[in-house]
Amino acid sequence: MTLQRNWKDRYHRRDPPYTAVADELARFQDQWADNYIASYNRVLGDAALLDLRFGRMTGVTPYILYSEYCGIPVDEYPDARGCTENDIAVRDPVRVELFNADPRGESWGPNHRNQFNGSLTYYLDTAGGSHNFKVGGQASREYIESRQFKSGDAFGELSDGVPTRINISRTPKTSHERLNTWALYAQDAWTIGDRLTLNIGVRLDGVYGYIPVQSSPAGTWAAISEQLTDASFEVTSEIGGFPDWPMNVGPRLSFAYDLFGDGRAALKGGWGRYYTQMGNALSAAANPNAGRSAWVGWNDLDGDRLVDIGPSGTLADSPEVDLSQFNGFSGAGASPYDKNSGRPYSDDISLGVDMTLGTEVSFSATYHRRQHRDSLGRLNLARPPSAYTLTSFECATCPQATYEVYELQEAYRGLQDNTITNLEKLQTNYNGVAFQLQKRFSNRWQLLGGATFSSHRGVPHGLPYDGTDWNNPNREINRLDGAVLTDVPWVFNVAGSYIAPLDIQIAWNYRARAGNPLVSTARATGLVQGSESIYAYERGDERTDTITDLLDINFRKGFDIDQARIEIGADFANIFNSQKADALITGFGSRYLQPSRVLPPRIIRFTVKLLF
């Protein structure tokens, strides 16, 4: 029996890209989790091992604002007060600035998971080779809850200092979903003769998600939400099948072959299918009680760049909130899941060679491909691609004077008929080759170096589920073959150590890599659908600076004193004080391509350790 408690306090949390905000605009993460594990192991005979485990994880992840807060339900927080305009958060994505508070507000994420695992391992020698069989299974039940509060149930947005729009949200909300999973697997490590080992396996697993009965307060925007959605945010009866994948089959096969029979060179490879672990992504997207938001106009009548409240003390009757182009909250309540859709998966393929060169040096080269398929996305069936007309808009602060954009036709304004389904276009492909050279420690020194050359391309989208409307053709502008995630074409590392005279230990680590992918968006306003942001170019066509001067060195010297040892050291991090930016502001405007995050500066640290 094991009990483990984890506690994480992260003060003044600043999340990208807003990493340079004032302390009062940051959030405090006070996170804890308990893990309970009960296990039973038993050797059966002289060739089998039984392993049974039951575990429970429970915890909460809260993000708390440092600034004064309003809008929290009085029954939960008696000290909550009324909102003023200075409490409504405002952000400027062009200048990467926040004002008044974090637009995400405060959130809590209580959750727990119960899981059972069991396996049986059996060893068998036969005339055809030795086998290491393993069969097992697991089952789990998971509860995921999300609570969120925002000042005024909204936040304002500036564009390079100019008020442009307000994001209104269906908060406060307390939503929760359930997830049940199961899996069975079998594998065999089969050694044939002295040169070949095969690993053959298969995994069968299923997942079922559902939305239990629940509700949240109506919030500031109950009156307008009645136009399209249930204003009470209520689920009156259980909603099942988000997702409902009774069984998926994932085969795996890998091998290792001794090329010359002397153990000095091996050819290795494999292929496997891995199904995406969805969590509550689908059930949260379909939950009528989950968070929704919408963009509306902002008429900054007094020019103070603050979102002013109305006579009621809320934003519901604010003269600065323009609801004329309100088209409904994103998702418009539940987004039914297409029951004919399959589970997203990735195929992983690898092939490589490991070899020793002499007695002290080893070398490896490996090719790896990962292709992701059957991604899930949202389609608004009431707005087919034909509902949009290609037009253009001017952008005074952009590199180009005009850009193309698709505008919704007036007849389709406000129409919602959403579904979640597989979208063939949402594919990604990773191809990479990695080389590694290692000199084992001898003659007082060792060295390890590696280089990776790769490409990760496809349609940039949210994983494992993308909630934007892919019937909107603006989603395809300059994003059908872009860099995905942290696609970096090349990376080089070399590290080593040397024991110098007087037994002074010297270690170093040098790193170089291509820049991170960037993409800028141009935003059209005043459209029938409100506003649209389109990619100005394919993600990855522009990058941060290449890094070639990142070096760390440290020195250590030890002294034995009776039964103790004193070790003194000096660490030099980023010895050349490289100030390359690894993130840039990509919003077109006065701060376009200015650094928003740079490498940590040169740090020199001296240490003394007493070991006994």
Side-chain angles (χ1 to χ4, degrees), residues 47 122-133 191:
Y122 183 70
Y123 305 91
L124 177 66
D125 282 323
T126 69
S130 62
H131 296 266
N132 182 353
F133 296 106
T191 301

Side-chain angles (χ1 to χ4, degrees), residues 408-422:
L408 183 69
Q409 298 169 26
E410 182 66 37
Y412 294 90
R413 179 199 293 269
L415 298 183
Q416 297 281 342
D417 181 14
N418 295 283
T419 187
I420 299 171
T421 188
N422 295 125

Side-chain angles (χ1 to χ4, degrees), residues 410-579:
E410 182 66 37
Y412 294 90
R413 179 199 293 269
L415 298 183
Q416 297 281 342
D417 181 14
N418 295 283
T419 187
I420 299 171
T421 188
N422 295 125
L423 299 179
E424 185 177 355
K425 70 182 74 173
L426 302 186
Q427 297 185 4
T428 64
N429 297 292
Y430 172 87
N431 290 281
V433 180
F435 302 94
Q436 189 174 79
L437 184 69
Q438 180 178 4
K439 192 270 182 187
R440 300 179 181 87
F441 184 81
S442 64
N443 299 320
R444 304 174 70 89
W445 69 283
Q446 64 179 346
L447 187 70
L448 175 64
T452 300
F453 304 91
S454 64
S455 171
H456 197 181
R457 311 287 295 188
V459 178
H461 62 280
L463 294 173
Y465 156 71
D466 192 292
T468 56
D469 176 19
W470 285 91
N471 260 350
N472 185 341
N474 291 296
R475 301 293 174 265
E476 297 188 8
I477 296 177
N478 288 329
R479 61 189 302 170
L480 294 181
D481 187 29
V484 177
L485 300 178
T486 52
D487 168 63
V488 179
W490 63 270
V491 177
F492 176 74
N493 295 297
V494 61
S497 63
Y498 172 64
I499 301 180
L502 303 179
D503 286 336
I504 297 175
Q505 301 179 38
I506 306 173
W508 63 89
N509 184 9
Y510 171 76
R511 288 150 286 164
R513 61 176 174 83
N516 296 322
L518 299 174
V519 66
S520 294
T521 57
R523 185 151 63 87
T525 59
L527 303 173
V528 170
Q529 66 266 39
S531 63
E532 287 283 2
S533 293
I534 58 103
Y535 278 19
Y537 48 80
E538 289 279 7
R539 185 173 187 269
D541 286 357
E542 291 189 358
R543 294 178 176 273
T544 58
D545 291 337
T546 298
I547 297 174
T548 58
D549 53 355
L550 195 55
L551 175 65
D552 302 337
I553 299 178
N554 65 68
F555 301 87
R556 294 286 184 273
K557 170 64 178 175
F559 302 90
D560 292 325
I561 302 177
D562 294 331
Q563 297 182 356
R565 181 176 177 84
I566 294 178
E567 182 182 275
I568 60 175
D571 301 321
F572 300 84
N574 191 3
I575 196 169
F576 296 123
N577 200 29
S578 175
Q579 297 182 7

Side-chain angles (χ1 to χ4, degrees), residues 127-378:
S130 62
H131 296 266
N132 182 353
F133 296 106
K134 187 174 184 178
V135 295
Q138 65 183 55
S140 70
R141 294 176 62 88
E142 190 168 357
Y143 170 91
I144 309 103
E145 182 176 326
S146 174
R147 307 175 190 171
Q148 187 176 31
F149 308 94
K150 289 184 180 181
S151 297
D153 297 328
F155 67 84
E157 184 171 277
L158 309 173
S159 178
D160 206 8
V162 178
T164 57
R165 57 182 183 170
I166 297 174
N167 183 276
I168 63 175
S169 61
R170 288 176 35 162
T171 50
K173 64 98 175 176
T174 299
S175 62
H176 46 101
E177 296 86 34
R178 306 287 198 279
L179 189 72
N180 298 332
T181 68
W182 69 270
L184 297 173
Y185 63 87
Q187 64 185 51
D188 178 23
W190 179 16
T191 301
I192 304 172
D194 298 328
R195 302 178 66 172
L196 177 63
T197 298
L198 297 177
N199 285 282
I200 306 169
V202 64
R203 178 184 174 91
L204 312 176
D205 68 0
V207 58
Y208 181 80
Y210 63 97
I211 304 165
V213 174
Q214 58 190 275
S215 64
S216 292
T220 302
W221 308 104
I224 65 168
S225 66
E226 289 176 352
Q227 302 174 20
L228 299 170
T229 60
D230 180 0
S232 66
F233 306 169
E234 191 173 22
V235 179
T236 57
S237 60
E238 181 179 299
I239 306 173
F242 289 94
D244 184 8
W245 292 310
M247 185 175 71
N248 301 109
V249 181
R252 287 91 187 265
L253 173 65
S254 63
F255 72 92
Y257 180 71
D258 187 342
L259 288 173
F260 307 115
D262 58 3
R264 299 176 63 86
L267 181 67
K268 299 179 179 180
W271 167 80
R273 175 158 293 184
Y274 301 87
Y275 287 93
T276 301
Q277 301 301 314
M278 297 294 297
N280 68 325
L282 286 183
S283 52
N287 191 345
N289 185 43
R292 306 282 185 236
S293 65
W295 290 105
V296 298
W298 181 2
N299 300 318
D300 188 23
L301 300 177
D302 53 9
D304 61 357
R305 299 193 297 182
L306 298 174
V307 184
D308 298 334
I309 61 175
S312 67
T314 72
L315 292 181
D317 54 355
S318 168
E320 295 199 341
V321 180
D322 179 8
L323 298 174
S324 62
Q325 293 184 325
F326 174 66
N327 290 310
F329 291 104
S330 62
S335 295
Y337 168 64
D338 178 4
K339 303 298 184 181
N340 295 320
S341 291
R343 187 174 179 181
Y345 67 90
S346 294
D347 284 333
D348 277 32
I349 304 167
S350 64
L351 182 65
V353 61
D354 293 352
M355 63 179 62
T356 58
L357 308 175
T359 59
E360 300 175 354
V361 179
S362 62
F363 171 80
S364 68
T366 305
Y367 165 76
H368 185 200
R369 175 177 173 82
R370 181 173 62 252
Q371 53 188 36
H372 184 73
R373 299 291 185 268
D374 280 358
S375 282
L376 293 164
R378 181 173 67 89

